[in-house]
Amino acid sequence: MSVQRQLLETLIDGKFHSGEHLASALGITRAAIWKNIKVLQSKYELDIYAVSGKGYQLSQSIELLDSDVIISKLSLPNTVSEIETFFTIDSTNRYLMKKVLSSEFHCHAVFAEQQTSGRGRHGRNWISPFGGNLYFSVLYSFQRTPRDVTGLSLAVGVAIVEQLERQGIESAKLKWPNDILVDGRKLCGILLEMHGESHGPLAIVVGVGINISMSENAAKEIDQPWVSYQSLTQAPVARNQLAADFLSSVLLALHEFEQNGLEPFRERWLQRDYYMDSNVKLQLGDREITGIARGIDQQGALLLESQGQLQRYYSGEIRLRPARPAR
Ligand code: BTN
């Protein structure tokens, strides 16, 4: 284990640790401890206080993610063959997409404490500071064609909103295709990537980012209204339990979708549609289309009523922006 990791694992309790104690525990000099503290501060953007006479203290304690603990808390442990947890990674989606290209793939989940290039939809970044939120991806192989998996990201959205409801966040809603909002502020984003031939099989990577306890400072680069799980529940967060709960929901949704497609999810999606019957603007590349959102069809396409006609729009570059409420 690297010195930095050992140091962080000691400081993670949020208590003071003297330089002398850290130096003897890690078998290095106090100067080396100081150098490594500096690295932790810049690499993971962690607030570590240095107080003379007391030592070093992390501004708040963090429950680090642990694959064994997550596996032990899964509702159906046999649904995933491997879980990995990383301290830092560029992107959990990118990591699994590379696996798809390089080897035989199996159902594999990856969590990270920090992503240095988290990927969002529409080429955006997903801001991923260390230790506060959940960032995970699941690699899953479907014996299906790309056409058959249209709508899968909507099914995953439904599964996550239902999990949030079970945890007492009943005001979570879906913004087509799969953003999760609370009172119009984004709580969770889902990014689906796939690789395969037109006749199948397909490798799908489902990436999920949930704001759990994001600080205002870490979030200053987010360019849209956002909200965090902890601000809604106002309760201490058990990160490994949450990781297992959300992963279990996604795995179950993947199995259910593989067997029955979008059908079992469609009504559940419609019940939680944030923009249902609202006037909206769709951005389709450079084009902007206005109309009334009328839910989704059997494939998960957005139904937009414009000049008395229902049009279907498929996922891609489409963005929804609220306009005035429809009558
Ligand atoms: C969105 O823009 O709404 C989708 C965001 C998806 C973010 C998650 S975080 C885990 C996984 N890894 C990534 O790089 N992106 C997804």
Side-chain angles (χ1 to χ4, degrees):
M1 199 193 293
S2 75
V3 168
Q4 281 154 30
R5 192 172 175 129
Q6 284 181 67
L7 197 50
L8 189 49
E9 290 199 350
T10 314
L11 293 171
I12 222 77
D13 58 8
K15 295 183 179 150
F16 270 108
H17 295 267
S18 72
E20 199 178 346
H21 162 80
L22 291 170
S24 81
L26 272 65
I28 55 176
T29 63
R30 284 170 64 180
I33 293 288
W34 169 244
K35 240 171 83 183
N36 281 289
I37 292 275
K38 287 272 153 214
V39 176
L40 288 182
Q41 285 169 327
S42 62
K43 188 168 169 189
Y44 301 121
E45 292 176 22
L46 289 170
D47 286 332
I48 303 173
Y49 309 130
V51 178
S52 72
K54 288 178 115 178
Y56 301 100
Q57 183 192 37
L58 195 60
S59 61
Q60 58 181 45
S61 67
I62 301 174
E63 181 190 325
L64 289 176
L65 296 172
D66 179 320
S67 349
D68 293 336
V69 181
I70 298 172
I71 290 178
S72 73
K73 293 179 185 299
L74 285 178
S75 51
L76 293 172
N78 298 333
T79 45
V80 61
S81 339
E82 186 174 357
I83 297 185
E84 284 183 279
T85 48
F86 285 88
F87 253 37
T88 186
I89 198 168
D90 52 358
S91 147
T92 53
N93 262 40
R94 189 173 294 133
Y95 176 78
L96 285 180
M97 284 304 285
K98 278 198 238 146
K99 289 242 171 256
V100 170
L101 302 176
S102 65
S103 61
E104 278 275 298
F105 41 84
H106 49 276
C107 186
H108 184 163
V110 174
F111 287 83
E113 297 290 1
Q114 177 196 46
Q115 294 184 117
T116 52
S117 310
R119 295 187 197 181
R121 295 181 57 240
H122 306 297
R124 287 177 158 180
N125 288 334
W126 188 257
I127 307 294
S128 311
F130 187 93
N133 303 317
L134 280 181
Y135 322 111
F136 69 94
S137 301
V138 183
L139 168 60
Y140 193 85
S141 159
F142 270 95
Q143 298 305 316
R144 299 283 188 97
T145 66
R147 252 181 88 94
D148 298 332
V149 296
T150 332
L152 173 60
S153 73
L154 284 82
V156 173
V158 169
I160 291 180
V161 171
E162 288 176 341
Q163 182 58 248
L164 288 164
E165 289 168 357
R166 284 194 284 281
Q167 299 185 13
I169 302 181
E170 275 149 26
S171 50
K173 294 277 176 281
L174 287 153
K175 172 186 153 188
W176 186 87
N178 54 22
D179 279 358
I180 297 175
L181 309 179
V182 173
D183 296 330
R185 293 173 297 161
K186 189 150 166 176
L187 174 64
C188 168
I190 297 163
L191 178 68
L192 213 110
E193 300 185 69
M194 61 177 88
H195 177 83
E197 306 303 324
S198 55
H199 49 275
L202 273 184
I204 309 264
V205 173
V206 179
V208 179
I210 310 176
N211 300 327
I212 300 290
S213 48
M214 176 96 93
S215 71
E216 290 288 338
N217 188 40
K220 56 186 186 295
E221 283 166 49
I222 302 181
D223 58 359
Q224 56 186 320
W226 63 275
V227 66
S228 71
Y229 176 95
Q230 197 164 28
S231 71
L232 298 166
T233 56
Q234 296 289 332
V237 166
R239 291 180 76 231
N240 284 291
Q241 183 65 58
L242 275 189
D245 290 343
F246 287 111
L247 176 59
S248 298
S249 304
V250 170
L251 291 170
L252 280 174
L254 288 167
H255 287 288
E256 194 175 355
F257 189 92
E258 186 168 32
Q259 267 145 40
N260 303 311
L262 186 62
E263 194 44 39
F265 297 94
R266 188 165 162 264
E267 195 50 46
R268 288 145 70 191
W269 197 97
L270 291 171
Q271 283 163 11
R272 296 165 176 87
D273 182 358
Y274 184 71
Y275 284 118
M276 180 58 113
D277 298 333
S278 299
N279 269 306
V280 294
K281 288 180 189 166
L282 282 185
Q283 257 171 307
L284 200 48
D286 291 343
R287 267 198 315 147
E288 199 172 81
I289 302 155
T290 49
I292 305 168
R294 297 294 192 205
I296 53 169
D297 74 359
Q298 280 80 0
Q299 272 74 49
L302 175 76
L303 295 173
L304 191 65
E305 187 184 318
S306 192
Q307 291 162 349
Q309 297 227 317
L310 263 194
Q311 304 283 354
R312 289 175 162 71
Y313 294 91
Y314 296 86
S315 54
E317 318 80 35
I318 300 169
R319 290 178 192 194
L320 276 169
R321 290 278 180 257
R324 63 196 145 70
R327 271 174 287 136

